[in-house]
Amino acid sequence: MSQITTCTFFKLESFPNKLWAFSQMQLGHAHFKNIAGLVFYKLLGSGAENGFSSKPNFGTYALLCIWETEIHAVEFFENNSFYKKYKSKCFESFTVFGHAAEAHGKWDGKQPFVSNATLALDKPVMVLTRASIRLSKLISFWRKVGNVSKSLEDYDGLALSIGVGEWPLIQQATLSIWKTQAEMIDYAYKNKKHLEVVRLTRKLNWYKEELFARFIPYKFLGKWNGKNVANFLDI
């Protein structure tokens, strides 16, 4: 069986639960030692807007995992005590399963995704963009990215976009899910605000490390925004 990637989003409401989740950004790593089939993982906080955001959202967190097989992922979600405790504190949570189709760049000095799927223009796509921003470039970067985040709101083909990161301000990522790859490409190559940021990224050398990956999402489990996500791309 082939490698898969999962991303679980957690939404918390009460202050004690939000505080607990925030503490797990550091303390939670102790629970990910020697998990069968786990190739790579990241505990991620979130931003307050669709994409990159300097404003934290203390009510939403994410867990990105790469697994040797889906069997290992299911075993974790069904039996892992830390995951069960995290989920019990959530108002809502959902997990998307995906096969990597392409990946470029590095995360912590390595490229962890093994491509084993083929994208199609008329099929759904999940996109991960991640960057570690140079300290000397923080001001110029944050002055420009806000407009790009807001521009996502105008696209009907976008099912979900959440800005996530390991550290506020300096290590940021966006994970977005699109109803079709064609609609994602339309945004990426025709949206003027997005194209301007791409141009400035190359010109100003904002990032000391970056990664871009596309996945075919094939299963959704859980609830988000009050709705069952089993038919996530139809809502």
Side-chain angles (χ1 to χ4, degrees):
M1 297 181 69
S2 57
Q3 183 194 87
I4 71 160
T5 298
T6 62
C7 193
T8 302
F9 298 95
F10 305 99
K11 187 182 293 184
L12 306 102
E13 284 196 321
S14 71
F15 177 78
N17 286 342
K18 289 180 180 180
L19 183 61
W20 180 88
F22 178 74
S23 73
Q24 299 312 302
M25 290 292 292
Q26 291 298 318
L27 301 178
H29 295 287
H31 299 281
F32 286 87
K33 297 178 180 179
N34 303 317
I35 293 179
L38 182 63
V39 177
F40 180 91
Y41 81 93
K42 288 293 178 182
L43 286 164
L44 304 165
S46 75
E49 300 169 8
N50 276 337
F52 286 120
S53 175
S54 59
K55 302 174 184 178
N57 177 359
F58 294 109
T60 301
Y61 294 84
L63 170 63
L64 176 75
C65 295
I66 302 176
W67 304 94
E68 291 179 3
T69 70
E70 184 176 339
I71 293 174
H72 290 103
V74 171
E75 169 68 20
F76 173 82
F77 292 129
E78 290 184 351
N79 299 309
N80 182 268
S81 59
F82 174 72
Y83 174 77
K84 286 185 174 181
K85 182 175 181 179
Y86 209 132
K87 191 173 180 181
S88 71
K89 293 179 177 292
C90 293
F91 169 67
E92 291 182 326
S93 67
F94 88 94
T95 299
V96 53
F97 291 67
H99 290 292
E102 59 181 57
H104 309 282
K106 294 183 178 181
W107 199 331
D108 291 346
K110 60 183 177 181
Q111 205 295 88
F113 300 104
V114 175
S115 299
N116 52 33
T118 302
L119 294 166
L121 287 175
D122 61 342
K123 299 296 183 182
V125 63
M126 180 168 66
V127 181
L128 170 69
T129 58
R130 181 263 175 188
S132 182
I133 307 160
R134 298 179 189 277
L135 293 177
S136 61
K137 305 291 184 178
L138 285 176
I139 295 177
S140 64
F141 173 82
W142 286 111
R143 281 176 175 172
K144 295 294 182 180
V145 296
N147 288 333
V148 177
S149 298
K150 293 177 182 178
S151 71
L152 279 164
E153 298 172 2
D154 299 327
Y155 282 78
D156 292 335
L158 180 68
L160 173 77
S161 178
I162 295 182
V164 294
E166 300 157 81
W167 290 95
L169 298 177
I170 61 173
Q171 291 186 347
Q172 298 291 305
T174 299
L175 195 141
S176 58
I177 301 172
W178 300 78
K179 295 178 181 179
T180 67
Q181 186 187 195
E183 290 168 299
M184 183 277 293
I185 291 174
D186 182 78
Y187 168 78
Y189 293 99
K190 293 183 180 180
N191 183 278
K192 293 181 180 179
K193 293 177 180 177
H194 180 263
L195 289 173
E196 175 66 6
V197 166
V198 171
R199 184 186 70 82
L200 290 173
T201 296
R202 296 167 181 163
K203 178 181 177 180
L204 301 178
N205 193 25
W206 276 334
Y207 310 140
K208 62 180 180 180
E209 185 181 64
E210 58 182 312
L211 181 142
F212 173 82
R214 294 181 187 178
F215 309 81
I216 296 177
Y218 66 90
K219 183 165 63 175
F220 298 86
L221 298 175
K223 180 186 287 188
W224 200 248
N225 293 331
K227 298 179 180 179
N228 187 309
V229 299
N231 299 310
F232 185 76
L233 294 171
D234 297 328
I235 59 178

